[in-house]
Amino acid sequence: MKLQKIIFHTILISISTLSIFGQTVQKKQHETLQSNDVNIVDEQNLKWSELDAYVGKYSKDTGFFENDLVKTELKKILDDDFNAYMKFVETAGYGIIEKVDNIIYGDVSMMHVGGYNSLFLIDTKKREMYLFWMNGALRDKEYQIYGTRPIPETIKKIIEDDMNTGFGHVAKFYFKNDHLEINVINPTGNDIQRR
């Protein structure tokens, strides 16, 4: 009988020890998973914040469009238009990358052709990219704005300001909700076309 009690208690202690050990292993695995999640999030944040290194430089000189994050985001928002845009980028001129608040942006356009203009805009805090692309002559008033809707006010203001700075002598640009209105001006200064 004594032997049975000893065996019974030994089994109980073994089961308890295994249970405690199992809980400890599960807790350590959970902590490791949480730590890995934090590392992934920190790594993602780091990649977005690293884009600030391009500010004040020309995108063509720095390989901006070769950056994995930039390419991934462009593919995501452009979808079927990605290859066409990359061909446009290869032949276009580049402005200096600038920053307003959390948004870095830069101009990519054909010089002295009256249109064929684009502007990439990246919100590094919200981790979103937008692209304004007028892939034609200004007089045609054809453009696309890629990215999520509604378009944030800061993004719209940057697009308006950039277009009015570059083309203000021939057209006026302003947003009406998420639609960019383009008023082409005739040589006498009067609006002649409205979209």
Side-chain angles (χ1 to χ4, degrees):
M1 195 74 157
K2 248 182 167 179
L3 184 59
Q4 286 177 335
K5 280 185 178 180
I6 291 173
I7 292 172
F8 177 73
H9 285 300
T10 304
I11 291 172
L12 259 168
I13 290 170
S14 297
I15 291 172
S16 295
T17 303
L18 285 174
S19 175
I20 291 169
F21 178 73
Q23 289 174 356
T24 303
V25 168
Q26 283 180 334
K27 184 177 178 186
K28 290 229 182 261
Q29 287 174 336
H30 180 70
E31 288 171 357
T32 301
L33 287 174
Q34 281 183 327
S35 175
N36 286 341
D37 288 346
V38 168
N39 288 340
I40 289 168
V41 170
D42 287 346
E43 188 176 308
Q44 289 172 348
N45 284 334
L46 183 60
K47 287 179 183 177
W48 284 87
S49 65
E50 285 175 354
L51 295 177
D52 284 345
Y54 292 103
V55 175
K57 299 172 183 148
Y58 291 95
S59 50
K60 190 169 194 169
D61 297 343
T62 60
F64 178 80
F65 289 100
E66 297 304 313
N67 180 294
D68 288 337
L69 177 61
V70 171
K71 281 169 61 171
T72 299
E73 291 302 308
L74 279 172
K75 284 178 184 175
K76 186 167 76 175
I77 63 173
L78 285 166
D79 197 27
D80 292 338
D81 293 336
F82 175 76
N83 289 331
Y85 184 70
M86 293 313 289
K87 284 180 183 175
F88 172 79
V89 164
E90 287 173 13
T91 59
Y94 299 78
I96 289 179
I97 297 176
E98 300 180 57
K99 184 174 182 179
V100 171
D101 298 330
N102 297 312
I103 299 165
I104 67 167
Y105 65 96
D107 177 79
V108 179
S109 60
M110 301 291 185
M111 302 300 288
H112 312 296
V113 293
Y116 299 92
N117 191 64
S118 77
L119 190 65
F120 61 84
L121 308 105
I122 303 172
D123 188 326
T124 57
K125 186 173 183 180
K126 292 183 180 174
R127 301 193 319 210
E128 292 182 336
M129 185 173 201
Y130 294 86
L131 179 76
F132 168 81
W133 187 18
M134 179 184 294
N135 192 21
L138 175 64
R139 69 180 171 276
D140 298 332
K141 303 183 199 177
E142 295 297 324
Y143 69 87
Q144 290 283 345
I145 300 175
Y146 301 87
T148 60
R149 297 295 188 271
I151 301 168
E153 292 301 316
T154 307
I155 298 290
K156 291 194 280 192
K157 177 152 180 29
I158 292 170
I159 293 170
E160 269 182 18
D161 290 349
D162 186 78
M163 294 305 290
N164 282 318
T165 298
F167 293 97
H169 60 291
V170 292
K172 298 295 178 205
F173 301 83
Y174 63 93
F175 272 94
K176 214 180 220 185
N177 299 316
D178 281 347
H179 179 76
L180 183 65
E181 296 284 330
I182 303 171
N183 294 333
V184 178
I185 302 169
N186 72 15
T188 62
N190 298 321
D191 292 353
I192 57 170
Q193 294 177 328
R194 188 171 201 174
R195 180 174 182 197

